[in-house]
Amino acid sequence: MGKKIIFFLILFLTNKIFSLTRMFLDTTYDVIYVNYNNLDFNNSTSTDTYDKIYSYLDSALRINIDNLEFKLGFSSLGEFGSTTSQISTFTYSWQKNLSYPNINFLPWLNEFYIRYIYNFSHINFLNIDDINLTFTIGRHRKEVIKGMVLGDNGIGFDGISFNFNLGKYFYIDSFFSRYKSSFGFINNKSFDIYSFLVGSRFYDNFDFGISNTVEEDKIFNFRKVFYELFIKREVSNYYYIFEYAFQSGKADDGSNYSGSLWFFEASTKGKNRYLGESEAGLVWLLSSGGNDANIFSPTFSKKYYFLEPYGFGEFAKANLNSIFFDLPQGYSGIFVLGFNLSINPLKKLFAKFGYYLFSSPSAPDNKPEPSATEKTLGAKKAIGVEYDIIFEYKISNFLDINFSYSIFNPTKGAYQEKIKDDNATKLGCWIRSRF
């Protein structure tokens, strides 16, 4: 009799626990082929062409038990048939500073955290239902606003996050990490990172607020402070975000940091019988240049997307400080003005077209002039123009295939060492599967 009671008690408790437990296993596998041609902008040579095939695997196990969440995630990245990246034979700065622990397809840990969500009772006099506090400890992904100042580049941060949400009135998102790495652009450096964001969604479909991020290098003894002000709105047929950020702090030589960032992105959507689901977009980015103290240069901004830089333009991938080809000698800071259009002529087929102007707010006087529009928006000297054509076919909810062809046309005279200024091209194919 006693054994039967114990058996039924165990069965009851087991059922009770598992009734509150949810388990999720998500896996994404990407295979990417890219071919670069004429990277020295001189069609008479053939040593400036290369291609590669690489893959990226991301797998995560997430377990929810009532208000408690546990997540374990791994990633692997590397080229097919290679133990060292072919990319290392080239000399662009971003190639030398990849932020990943390895690119030999050996797995690394990108998430390993415990998260607890506490939901508060309804506050009658304010008529608020959605009140909660979230605490996260361990390695977890972190991106503030659009990742302009703080983004984990897919490898996560070891740290603590504290979030508080008071309905539509305001929310707080705070983060602390002690970051030390022996690879990539922060090789053998140690940082303390602090981030604190206060925002509000008081008005329907609006999100606005201010963020403060501090990064302190304990070894080289410098401190950078960033403030970001943003407003974002997203509804069914259009979206936009505007951000202004500025940099302050003190370098190890006693000089003061300065610099700023302006960013605007918008898109509008529609649908008709000929173009299907269509979308037109605009992006404008201006980051300050000048000497080392004046360049807007957060250490942990979002810079990489697999074995390519992260940024605007399918080829140039312009971000806050550079582009695929590196900036021409004497240039600093980035200006981007881009337009893109996406149409859906067939049920699962999307065609996308992009046009991007790249310039800089700081460059020698003898460099080529940008267009009048670029000058009005903050550019000083031109770098080049990019044209993109992308086709994406959504085979199913679990499989997409993407083809792209891009042309980068350097402005004549921008790259002094590349006299011919012929077009560079990029051909890409990307297959994404989800399990």
Side-chain angles (χ1 to χ4, degrees):
M1 184 66 179
K3 291 182 179 180
K4 288 184 179 180
I5 294 174
I6 294 173
F7 171 78
F8 283 115
L9 182 61
I10 292 173
L11 184 62
F12 171 78
L13 291 175
T14 303
N15 288 336
K16 184 66 176 175
I17 291 171
F18 278 94
S19 69
L20 301 174
T21 302
R22 291 172 295 167
M23 185 178 297
F24 306 89
L25 180 61
D26 300 311
T27 301
T28 303
Y29 183 59
D30 298 85
V31 178
I32 301 102
Y33 167 79
V34 286
N35 174 273
Y36 299 101
N37 186 55
N38 198 37
L39 293 179
D40 65 355
F41 309 132
N42 185 347
N43 282 324
S44 64
T45 64
S46 59
T47 59
D48 56 344
T49 298
Y50 80 101
D51 56 9
K52 64 176 181 287
I53 302 176
Y54 66 93
S55 63
Y56 176 79
L57 175 66
D58 185 83
S59 186
L61 173 66
R62 181 163 53 93
I63 300 173
N64 292 91
I65 305 174
D66 198 11
N67 291 346
L68 188 67
E69 177 178 289
F70 168 78
K71 190 169 184 180
L72 177 65
F74 289 93
S75 292
S76 298
L77 174 66
E79 290 187 45
F80 282 102
S82 176
T83 56
T84 58
S85 178
Q86 188 180 6
I87 216 173
S88 61
T89 61
F90 291 84
T91 57
Y92 299 123
S93 61
W94 64 269
Q95 295 172 322
K96 301 174 183 177
N97 295 315
L98 289 170
S99 63
Y100 304 104
N102 72 78
I103 50 175
N104 302 326
F105 212 72
L106 298 174
W108 72 81
L109 194 67
N110 61 28
E111 288 184 292
F112 183 49
Y113 68 76
I114 295 175
R115 175 172 294 159
Y116 183 75
I117 303 173
Y118 181 79
N119 295 303
F120 291 86
S121 302
H122 174 82
I123 299 179
N124 292 321
F125 71 92
L126 290 176
N127 193 26
I128 304 175
D129 287 316
D130 185 19
I131 310 171
N132 56 70
L133 184 152
T134 304
F135 178 77
T136 307
I137 184 168
R139 170 161 290 197
H140 54 288
R141 307 289 299 273
K142 194 69 179 179
E143 183 175 310
V144 175
I145 310 176
K146 291 284 288 187
M148 295 293 180
V149 170
L150 184 61
D152 61 56
N153 288 301
I155 61 175
F157 290 110
D158 292 321
I160 299 171
S161 289
F162 173 87
N163 305 78
F164 178 71
N165 187 66
L166 186 65
K168 67 178 183 179
Y169 290 94
F170 76 91
Y171 63 92
I172 294 171
D173 183 355
S174 62
F175 172 70
F176 167 75
S177 175
R178 178 154 288 179
Y179 198 95
K180 187 173 183 179
S181 177
S182 58
F183 54 84
F185 60 95
I186 51 173
N187 185 23
N188 294 324
K189 295 182 180 179
S190 178
F191 284 87
D192 282 351
I193 308 168
Y194 311 86
S195 177
F196 187 82
L197 184 151
V198 178
S200 175
R201 300 185 181 96
F202 183 78
Y203 300 103
D204 290 343
N205 305 311
F206 278 98
D207 186 4
F208 55 93
I210 182 170
S211 173
N212 171 225
T213 301
V214 179
E215 54 182 55
E216 290 186 304
D217 188 324
K218 297 298 185 180
I219 296 178
F220 291 90
N221 193 30
F222 74 77
R223 174 186 172 95
K224 285 185 180 179
V225 182
F226 301 91
Y227 294 93
E228 299 174 86
L229 292 86
F230 71 97
I231 180 170
K232 178 169 63 174
R233 190 178 191 196
E234 186 169 5
V235 294
S236 59
N237 59 343
Y238 70 89
Y239 152 87
Y240 67 80
I241 181 171
F242 173 77
E243 178 182 348
Y244 169 69
F246 60 93
Q247 171 184 274
S248 62
K250 192 172 288 292
D252 59 348
D253 61 0
S255 61
N256 294 318
Y257 287 113
S258 62
S260 62
L261 162 75
W262 297 88
F263 174 69
F264 178 75
E265 185 177 48
S267 66
T268 180
K269 300 177 183 179
K271 187 174 183 179
N272 64 50
R273 57 186 296 186
Y274 301 108
L275 300 179
E277 296 180 5
S278 57
E279 182 175 359
L282 163 72
V283 62
W284 169 57
L285 172 70
L286 175 65
S287 68
S288 62
N291 58 37
D292 290 342
N294 299 131
I295 297 173
F296 187 84
S297 58
T299 305
F300 296 95
S301 63
K302 195 171 180 179
K303 297 182 178 74
Y304 302 100
Y305 193 66
F306 306 147
L307 291 184
E308 298 179 72
Y310 170 85
F312 297 100
E314 183 68 18
F315 196 160
K317 304 283 189 182
N319 52 48
L320 294 180
N321 304 120
S322 192
I323 63 175
F324 178 96
F325 306 95
D326 289 340
L327 295 180
Q329 186 174 4
Y331 284 63
S332 62
I334 280 290
F335 173 94
V336 179
L337 183 62
F339 306 91
N340 52 75
L341 174 67
S342 173
I343 60 176
N344 176 212
L346 299 175
K347 184 177 181 181
K348 296 184 178 181
L349 178 66
F350 293 81
K352 303 177 183 181
F353 309 93
Y355 173 73
Y356 293 89
L357 297 166
F358 301 107
S359 305
S360 178
S362 180
D365 292 335
N366 62 347
K367 292 298 182 178
E369 298 292 321
S371 66
T373 302
E374 291 174 279
K375 278 189 174 182
T376 302
L377 293 174
K380 181 178 179 182
K381 296 296 180 179
I383 298 174
V385 182
E386 178 175 323
Y387 308 89
D388 300 326
I389 302 176
I390 304 168
F391 293 96
E392 181 178 3
Y393 189 74
K394 297 182 180 296
I395 299 173
S396 70
N397 292 331
F398 306 100
L399 186 64
D400 301 339
I401 186 167
N402 180 303
F403 294 95
S404 66
Y405 181 73
S406 304
I407 298 172
F408 182 85
N409 180 14
T411 304
K412 189 172 181 60
Y415 289 89
Q416 187 174 3
E417 71 278 14
K418 300 174 181 179
I419 301 173
K420 291 286 186 179
D421 293 324
D422 295 322
N423 293 337
T425 61
K426 174 187 175 183
L427 180 66
C429 177
W430 180 8
I431 300 173
R432 165 164 286 185
S433 55
R434 307 172 190 87
F435 305 97

